[in-house]
Amino acid sequence: MVLQPSERHNRDRSHGRLGPWCSPTGSPAPLSCETGCGEGSWILVCRLLVPTQVSLLSMEEDIDTRKINNSFLRDHSYATEADIISTVEFNHTGELLATGDKGGRVVIFQREQESKNQVHRRGEYNVYSTFQSHEPEFDYLKSLEIEEKINKIRWLPQQNAAYFLLSTNDKTVKLWKVSERDKRPEGYNLKDEEGRLRDPATITTLRVPVLRPMDLMVEATPRRVFANAHTYHINSISVNSDYETYMSADDLRINLWNFEITNQSFNIVDIKPANMEELTEVITAAEFHPHHCNTFVYSSSKGTIRLCDMRASALCDRHTKFFEEPEDPSNRSFFSEIISSISDVKFSHSGRYIMTRDYLTVKVWDLNMENRPIETYQVHDYLRSKLCSLYENDCIFDKFECVWNGSDSVIMTGSYNNFFRMFDRNTKRDVTLEASRENSKPRAILKPRKVCVGGKRRKDEISVDSLDFSKKILHTAWHPSENIIAVAATNNLYIFQDKVN
């Protein structure tokens, strides 16, 4: 059962993108404190809402958007469909955190600098800049609405004082420059102080313009627009390690772009069959290798991963390596093909491993072993008995993401009821945590949560029948070098920090 790209998109429009390891007693075991992710060691740094009103502020207004505090954002609990966060991404230093939402906005948060008087505030993030990245469009040739929703954000390594990031909706990728300005030029010869042109006859002296201090202003300007290259909906963008090229992937094709060329791209993967009725799978995610600029992987709706080498062929339809786990016939069901579809694929920071997320599990693959994953973690195996109802309410098509920590020793992914899961690869222990408003007091310590499948329920457990499937953690991010995580829950952005940090 494979949905056509257009059909899959219609089912996913309102739902985002297409059992735990236990100790001998049967209860989820806590993470080892040696990893810095021990049970009860995560504390809430801050909870932020997508600041809808900030985007309405004029650049001329005397308001410093960086100083909008968490209490201001927390008071605005009203959220629309456009406010739902659709992607989260730290930059390479972790000092900035960008979110994109369904309304086409990009909001950038900056980490609070540590001070002697407020050492505990190190780790808090405040609004740094916000801008409208994409607008809704209409393709008149195909009678197709193009949503403004931000599907992915990817940062470029910082080369100077400015920051650069890529953002994409279903059809168009944009390169944005985010820069600061705290000085303005004054004393022009041909213009007055208000910027109006002066009469040349009145100019009798020559003045040298000077720079005057001004209130800090953060500007976001589009530097490149990469459009008209995708027939289907873009699900992934990935910056190459050469920092000269990047790729964008849709349901059936992957294109390679040069940052300096916007009017053409090179097609490196094309799995579209001559007859669309013969379509059996679609591309779900793609990513470049972190160190080798010639290598990339992409996943499919059939639960397979293909590793491609651009040195072997210009068109990488023939993969170099093919990763697939043989299916257990005893577990075969009507939903097998749907739940085996991979929603996210990520290289480890070392480049040795690949992590994939399907509906029920997270798997870690060694690049040197293609026949099966070396690690499999059950995210919410207790939902296996509820696949029928999850299919009826379309939740089975939810696209969960997964992330590594900075040392590749812990992985994190989301679940329902605003739960998110962490798995320690060294100790094989895991923990379930919750991002909720009820425990959103700053510096509050997170308590591990447990799900009860049947029988008697303990006081600290929650029944699987009472899980809220409208609350889901689809998008998460991990600081590149520290134990700081960002979790997106609807229009709320939760930032947690390891207590020992």
Side-chain angles (χ1 to χ4, degrees):
M1 175 182 175
V2 175
L3 299 177
Q4 298 290 338
S6 59
E7 184 182 352
R8 281 193 334 115
H9 178 66
N10 290 335
R11 299 203 69 160
D12 293 348
R13 284 172 71 93
S14 60
H15 299 288
R17 291 289 191 189
L18 186 71
W21 183 91
C22 292
S23 61
T25 60
S27 59
L31 289 178
S32 169
C33 293
E34 295 177 357
T35 66
C37 308
E39 179 176 349
S41 67
W42 288 93
I43 59 176
L44 176 70
V45 177
C46 52
R47 179 175 74 88
L48 306 163
L49 299 187
V50 173
T52 308
Q53 297 193 9
V54 178
S55 62
L56 302 178
L57 300 178
S58 170
M59 297 292 280
E60 286 77 20
E61 290 179 319
D62 189 20
I63 298 178
D64 186 1
T65 57
R66 299 179 62 197
K67 299 302 180 184
I68 296 179
N69 55 33
N70 301 339
S71 61
F72 173 86
L73 299 176
R74 198 176 295 118
D75 292 338
H76 293 74
S77 58
Y78 174 74
T80 64
E81 181 78 8
D83 298 326
I84 296 176
I85 299 174
S86 55
T87 185
V88 183
E89 188 79 8
F90 279 102
N91 73 337
H92 289 73
T93 63
E95 294 302 306
L96 297 181
L97 174 65
T99 65
D101 62 27
K102 289 190 174 182
R105 294 181 297 260
V106 172
V107 182
I108 301 176
F109 300 93
Q110 185 181 48
R111 192 176 186 183
E112 192 76 18
Q113 296 300 314
E114 185 175 359
S115 64
K116 294 181 179 180
N117 299 329
Q118 296 176 316
V119 178
H120 69 280
R121 291 191 55 140
R122 178 64 173 167
E124 284 195 15
Y125 285 76
N126 290 320
V127 176
Y128 177 69
S129 176
T130 177
F131 57 92
Q132 189 72 31
S133 176
H134 287 72
E135 299 282 357
E137 301 176 35
F138 187 81
D139 188 336
Y140 293 96
L141 295 177
K142 299 180 180 179
S143 296
L144 179 68
E145 291 184 9
I146 302 175
E147 293 181 315
E148 67 272 32
K149 172 190 170 186
I150 306 298
N151 293 338
K152 293 290 180 183
I153 291 175
R154 290 291 180 265
W155 290 91
L156 276 67
Q158 188 176 3
Q159 304 292 337
N160 49 40
Y163 303 96
F164 289 87
L165 61 86
L166 289 171
S167 64
T168 183
N169 67 348
D170 285 341
K171 298 291 184 181
T172 305
V173 183
K174 295 184 179 181
L175 175 66
W176 290 88
K177 176 184 178 181
V178 182
S179 56
E180 297 181 355
R181 186 154 59 94
D182 58 359
K183 293 182 176 61
R184 65 172 180 267
E186 291 183 357
Y188 287 111
N189 289 281
L190 302 179
K191 295 181 180 179
D192 59 20
E193 299 303 325
E194 297 180 359
R196 293 173 299 193
L197 289 174
R198 298 169 57 188
D199 184 0
T202 63
I203 302 175
T204 58
T205 59
L206 180 66
R207 296 190 298 177
V208 178
V210 296
L211 294 175
R212 302 289 186 190
M214 60 174 285
D215 293 336
L216 180 65
M217 180 181 295
V218 181
E219 298 176 318
T221 54
R223 301 304 302 271
R224 304 280 191 277
V225 178
F226 306 89
N228 305 320
H230 285 276
T231 304
Y232 304 100
H233 303 119
I234 299 174
N235 54 50
S236 303
I237 51 176
S238 179
V239 179
N240 202 346
S241 58
D242 61 10
Y243 305 131
E244 294 182 0
T245 58
Y246 77 93
M247 69 177 175
S248 56
D250 65 22
D251 292 329
L252 298 178
R253 297 186 179 97
I254 300 177
N255 292 332
L256 181 68
W257 300 83
N258 188 293
F259 280 111
E260 301 299 324
I261 303 173
T262 62
N263 59 355
Q264 62 180 357
S265 61
F266 189 80
N267 180 234
I268 54 177
V269 172
D270 187 349
I271 66 170
K272 182 181 178 181
N275 183 1
M276 284 295 284
E277 293 182 358
E278 300 175 358
L279 180 67
T280 59
E281 63 180 334
V282 294
I283 299 170
T284 57
E287 186 176 65
F288 269 118
H289 191 281
H291 309 304
H292 305 314
C293 62
N294 55 282
T295 307
F296 67 94
V297 295
Y298 68 92
S299 58
S300 80
S301 57
K302 276 192 169 182
T304 61
I305 309 106
R306 291 172 174 85
L307 179 76
C308 300
D309 190 339
M310 292 188 290
R311 296 173 302 182
S313 173
L315 187 62
C316 299
D317 287 349
R318 294 185 179 180
H319 49 266
T320 303
K321 291 190 176 184
F322 183 77
F323 301 86
E324 183 180 24
E325 183 178 24
E327 183 182 9
D328 185 356
S330 62
N331 293 331
R332 179 73 182 176
S333 70
F334 171 79
F335 306 105
S336 295
E337 192 167 329
I338 300 176
I339 64 175
S340 65
S341 175
I342 295 175
S343 57
D344 195 18
V345 59
K346 293 280 176 61
F347 271 107
S348 63
H349 295 86
S350 66
R352 172 69 185 274
Y353 304 102
I354 304 172
M355 174 171 56
T356 60
R357 170 69 203 265
D358 56 43
Y359 190 68
L360 295 178
T361 66
V362 173
K363 298 174 181 176
V364 177
W365 303 76
D366 191 316
L367 287 184
N368 297 323
M369 190 168 70
E370 305 172 49
N371 59 339
R372 61 182 177 85
I374 59 173
E375 301 164 22
T376 300
Y377 302 96
Q378 300 294 335
V379 179
H380 39 215
D381 199 49
Y382 46 78
L383 296 181
R384 193 176 292 273
S385 62
K386 295 187 173 295
L387 293 179
C388 186
S389 58
L390 291 168
Y391 177 80
E392 292 176 352
N393 62 18
D394 276 358
C395 285
I396 200 170
F397 299 101
D398 286 333
K399 304 296 188 296
F400 292 95
E401 298 176 1
C402 53
V403 292
W404 303 87
N405 72 336
S407 61
D408 299 333
S409 60
V410 181
I411 58 182
M412 176 175 62
T413 190
S415 182
Y416 293 104
N417 207 71
N418 280 356
F419 289 168
F420 59 98
R421 307 268 283 137
M422 291 184 179
F423 303 93
D424 189 314
R425 298 182 58 211
N426 297 324
T427 63
K428 303 302 180 187
R429 297 179 177 179
D430 65 51
V431 66
T432 301
L433 302 173
E434 181 182 8
S436 65
R437 295 184 182 181
E438 285 70 24
N439 57 7
S440 60
K441 294 181 180 180
R443 321 309 295 182
I445 299 179
L446 290 185
K447 296 181 179 179
R449 302 301 305 269
K450 300 177 183 178
V451 178
C452 174
V453 178
K456 293 184 179 181
R457 181 172 62 89
R458 296 181 181 178
K459 183 179 180 180
D460 59 342
E461 293 180 338
I462 181 171
S463 171
V464 66
D465 296 319
S466 60
L467 294 176
D468 189 345
F469 293 106
S470 65
K471 297 179 179 179
K472 59 193 76 172
I473 305 296
L474 299 176
H475 314 287
T476 59
W478 202 307
H479 191 285
S481 58
E482 299 182 31
N483 280 331
I484 297 176
I485 58 176
V487 176
T490 319
N491 68 318
N492 293 273
L493 179 66
Y494 295 87
I495 299 178
F496 302 101
Q497 179 180 6
D498 190 2
K499 189 176 181 180
V500 299
N501 248 358

